[in-house]
Amino acid sequence: MSAPLETVWILGDQINRSIASLRDRSPGDCRILFVTSEAKLASKRWHRQRRHLVLSAMAHFAAELRAEGFEVDERSAPTLGAGLRAHVDEFEVETVVAMSPMSWDGEAMLERLGVSTVANNQFLCSADEFNEWVSPRKSFKMEDFYRWQRTRLDIMMEPDGKPVGGKWNFDHENREPPPKDGRAWPEITEFELDEIDVAIIDDASGDLWGDEPRGVWPVTRAQALQRLDEFIDHALSPFGAHEDAMLGAEWKLAHSVLSSSMNIGLLHPGEVAEAAAEAFREGNAPINSVEGFVRQVIGWREYVWGLYWYWLPDYRDMNALSADRPVPPAFTGEAETAMACVSSVIDHLETNGYTHHIERLMVLGNLALTAGVNPQAMMDWMWASFVDGAEWVMVPNVIGMALHADGGMMATKPYASGGAYINKMSDRCKGCKYDPKKRTGENACPFTSLYWDFLARNEDALKGNHRMGQQLAGMRRLKDLEATRERASEVLAALDAGTL
Ligand code: SF4
């Protein structure tokens, strides 16, 4: 009698034929398992396009593997564990193998269930390599990690070990405000929904939000490769200069919109970075755009991944500023807001399940930070609401970067700012009911009032931070601090009530 087939269990963010658990397999030597957890689907108020992306990518990948000749078991179950047990019982499986998941709890779950794991190959820097880099250092920052990555991966490097272009970082060329020329931004293909997509849309139930899927997000590797080509050919070149700019009528500008594809496995960060570097070598994109993009992919993204594993589990529960406000109804779509910047960012999110990094950090994150929104609630909302959301992405970005809930472990000072930054980098303030320069009075910009109130409210927690000295001194010098704080308390009440 032949031995029973091994099962290879593929998780929802491992959608690639080259994942470590699958790359050397062929039809006939294993059975493939996909499980959809009903508990996971019910655990959050998911954005419709986020829910659809994962379920559709899994179903399309299952169909591709079936077409290749694999026996595939796709099942829905109350939990992932229940699905695995039902599969093991039905097929009398003795060995189940999976690639290490991208989450702390997922890793613990596989261990609990007795699943053998192989190392995850979806990143350029493994958790072990990151630990080796970080361990000898007393302090560490992304820029050092990025240079280490560039060097060891040999991306955009000269033969003598110097960075191409003579500098590691061209960021100062990438902070242009929105252009005033009314230019057209690169277009992206919206992929036609097929019968798998339609069935998933028709089957959707529960408390969901956001617009219905319309094919913006690649659900197959072929679609993701097309999106990558479109970015390299049309958007990489103009990407850099205006990567921090915000426009109400334009949700993506020249951003790559590749993060969802990388985060569920359809694209590998190595091939994405190499495609950009190749465009530079061919003379098709300027150094500031290519270097800025490569830094996002092999620097920031991998740094966040490394820190997630380095600092968890305690890190995700940190709340250094004791922030306890709920996520504002203006964010969740449960209330309209007159804040033009927030309104347009939420509109982008509702329509596409996506906003670019500056809208996340300097509008949503900044308001949540200065208003004192609870970091775990904010993280949970962002995880459910963005197509590229995942715990490993959201924990460092929200707990560390945006909300300073780690007390400065990741970012040396809070990313708090008043309306001036948004006024400079967006076209929103002109038509807004509020005035970015005012901190008191009825039409004071909520960001500006809250910024000063945030400094005053958290003075004790921040005064030991030498990088905050100037800002705290500025706050102490304000002659109208009391009136500003009174206005801030009105702003906070209106924010909670959904009337701001
Ligand atoms: S005035 Fe304030 S609330 Fe209005 S768009 Fe500008 S920053 Fe946003």
Side-chain angles (χ1 to χ4, degrees), residues 338-342 419 422-423 428-429 432-436 445-447:
M339 290 181 283
C341 55
V342 175
I422 298 172
N423 191 25
R428 301 286 70 206
C429 295
C432 185
K433 164 184 168 181
Y434 302 109
D435 182 340
C445 167
F447 282 85

Side-chain angles (χ1 to χ4, degrees), residues 64-367:
E64 287 171 12
L65 292 172
R66 222 175 253 126
E68 196 183 327
F70 282 99
E71 184 184 340
V72 179
D73 180 24
E74 276 179 284
R75 60 177 65 224
S76 177
T79 63
L80 291 175
L84 176 71
R85 282 189 290 274
H87 168 85
V88 165
D89 288 349
E90 184 176 331
F91 294 97
E92 300 180 1
V93 176
E94 288 179 3
T95 310
V96 181
V97 181
M99 184 169 73
S100 282
M102 297 209 214
S103 79
W104 184 271
D105 294 339
E107 190 83 50
M109 177 196 71
L110 292 192
E111 204 177 318
R112 218 171 39 242
L113 294 172
V115 175
S116 319
T117 54
V118 294
N120 191 299
N121 65 349
Q122 290 173 285
F123 288 81
L124 293 161
C125 179
S126 69
D128 287 345
E129 288 166 328
F130 188 83
N131 281 349
E132 275 171 34
W133 176 78
V134 91
S135 295
R137 290 172 161 74
K138 281 207 186 71
S139 65
F140 42 90
K141 43 185 204 284
M142 201 290 281
E143 185 65 28
D144 296 337
F145 172 76
Y146 165 61
R147 293 180 188 190
W148 177 73
Q149 284 273 83
R150 282 262 302 265
T151 305
R152 77 189 189 96
L153 299 170
D154 194 19
I155 294 181
M156 310 247 322
M157 298 299 294
E158 300 287 6
D160 64 359
K162 295 208 169 90
V164 163
K167 282 192 304 187
W168 292 99
N169 189 320
F170 289 78
D171 225 14
H172 68 280
E173 293 175 35
N174 290 350
R175 295 195 185 113
E176 295 292 315
K180 294 194 169 42
D181 55 10
R183 71 180 63 181
W185 296 92
E187 291 188 7
I188 54 170
T189 296
E190 291 191 0
F191 305 100
E192 200 174 327
L193 301 177
D194 64 12
E195 55 192 27
I196 292 177
D197 293 309
V198 172
I200 289 166
I201 292 167
D202 289 347
D203 194 39
S205 61
D207 190 11
L208 303 168
W209 82 292
D211 285 8
E212 290 289 356
R214 58 177 199 286
V216 172
W217 302 107
V219 293
T220 65
R221 177 151 168 85
Q223 291 177 353
L225 287 170
Q226 183 179 337
R227 174 63 50 81
L228 174 60
D229 284 348
E230 286 176 353
F231 170 64
I232 299 293
D233 291 347
H234 305 298
L236 176 59
S237 194
F239 162 74
H242 301 288
E243 68 167 295
D244 287 357
M246 298 177 274
L247 287 169
E250 174 54 47
W251 65 281
K252 57 168 186 49
L253 294 96
H255 286 266
S256 72
V257 283
L258 292 168
S259 50
S260 74
S261 298
M262 283 191 277
N263 290 2
I264 63 168
L266 293 172
L267 295 175
H268 193 278
E271 67 186 330
V272 172
E274 177 49 32
E278 168 80 8
F280 176 72
R281 282 196 297 273
E282 301 282 315
N284 295 331
I287 184 94
N288 64 308
S289 285
V290 176
E291 188 283 311
F293 180 70
V294 165
R295 179 148 35 89
Q296 285 189 350
V297 175
I298 72 165
W300 185 253
R301 183 174 184 273
E302 300 261 331
Y303 188 62
V304 158
W305 164 250
L307 289 180
Y308 172 80
W309 289 103
Y310 189 66
W311 280 334
L312 248 68
D314 297 347
Y315 189 79
R316 65 184 163 189
D317 297 322
M318 293 184 86
N319 187 359
L321 299 178
S322 305
D324 58 3
R325 191 167 296 286
V327 177
F331 286 9
T332 60
E334 290 159 313
E336 299 283 316
T337 177
M339 290 181 283
C341 55
V342 175
S343 176
S344 68
V345 171
I346 294 301
D347 181 53
H348 296 161
L349 184 59
E350 195 157 9
T351 310
N352 302 299
Y354 175 95
T355 71
H356 71 68
H357 66 281
I358 292 298
E359 293 187 333
R360 294 186 205 203
L361 183 65
M362 298 311 290
V363 177
L364 301 177
N366 188 14
L367 189 60

